[in-house]
Amino acid sequence: MKKLWLITGVLWCSVCLASEVKVVDGDSLEIDGTRIRLDGIDAPEFFQVCEDKNAKKYDCGQDSAAYLRDLIGTDTPRCECEPQPDKYNRRICECFVGDVLLNQKMVHDGWARVYRSDKYAASEDDAAEYRRGIWQGRHMRPALYRILQKYTTAENDEKKSR
């Protein structure tokens, strides 16, 4: 009987400690409502499109998010974060599932690029050399894609107001 109570208690506690993890895109998560940006990487934006080795377009932003979701699985990442959030109120973190550093794994497997750091440069070089993920064909740097989206949106808004 004591074993049954112990097992029930352990199961109940594990449910209590479970966190809600949402993958926003290939470099952003939400864990229990806390927005997290994976430090040192930049993944394609959710609606960004790339080309594969045959110049066929594919949804690389959605594929990048799906890859991160698969890496996390049913686990809750353990994140080590900078003390202050960024200007978008996101925590800047290195996140782990077990011993896997998600930031580096996303770059190594070709679903994110290095961003404002050389921390994962060797992983990016490896992904490019072996044509993994977005390196299988052509892609636009996510930072440039965001700038062009902002410019295009502003231009369209201006045309509408005429």
Side-chain angles (χ1 to χ4, degrees), residues 4 21 24 29 36 49 59 63-64 72 77 87 98 126 141 162:
L4 178 62
V21 179
V24 177
L29 310 169
I36 294 172
V49 174
D59 298 319
D63 288 356
S64 176
I72 293 169
K87 66 182 180 181
D126 194 64
R141 282 185 171 274
R162 290 183 194 164

Side-chain angles (χ1 to χ4, degrees), residues 130-148:
Y130 291 100
R131 310 197 58 71
R132 292 190 292 264
I134 59 176
W135 295 99
Q136 66 183 290
R138 292 174 39 151
H139 69 277
M140 182 182 294
R141 282 185 171 274
L144 178 57
Y145 176 84
R146 287 190 296 276
I147 291 168
L148 291 174

Side-chain angles (χ1 to χ4, degrees), residues 21-133:
V21 179
K22 178 184 173 194
V23 172
V24 177
D25 59 25
D27 57 27
S28 303
L29 310 169
E30 255 185 43
I31 300 176
D32 291 335
T34 299
R35 295 172 56 204
I36 294 172
R37 174 78 157 74
L38 297 178
D39 187 33
I41 74 171
D42 197 15
E45 293 300 310
F46 191 75
F47 292 109
Q48 188 170 340
V49 174
C50 299
E51 291 181 359
D52 67 13
K53 65 183 176 185
N54 299 315
K56 182 180 176 205
K57 294 185 184 307
Y58 71 101
D59 298 319
C60 58
Q62 293 175 36
D63 288 356
S64 176
Y67 193 78
L68 180 58
R69 197 174 298 109
D70 288 346
L71 286 176
I72 293 169
T74 59
D75 295 325
T76 299
R78 176 180 50 83
C79 297
E80 298 171 2
C81 304
E82 293 181 9
Q84 296 299 316
D86 69 4
K87 66 182 180 181
Y88 303 107
N89 202 32
R90 299 174 299 189
R91 301 297 308 272
I92 307 300
C93 309
E94 285 189 331
C95 295
F96 299 82
V97 169
D99 292 336
V100 176
L101 174 56
L102 297 175
N103 311 47
Q104 183 173 23
K105 183 76 169 155
M106 288 296 291
V107 173
H108 178 268
D109 291 353
W111 292 109
R113 301 229 12 198
V114 169
Y115 186 67
R116 296 186 177 173
S117 168
D118 289 334
K119 193 183 297 189
Y120 309 119
S123 293
E124 184 176 85
D125 292 344
D126 194 64
E129 180 179 348
Y130 291 100
R131 310 197 58 71
R132 292 190 292 264

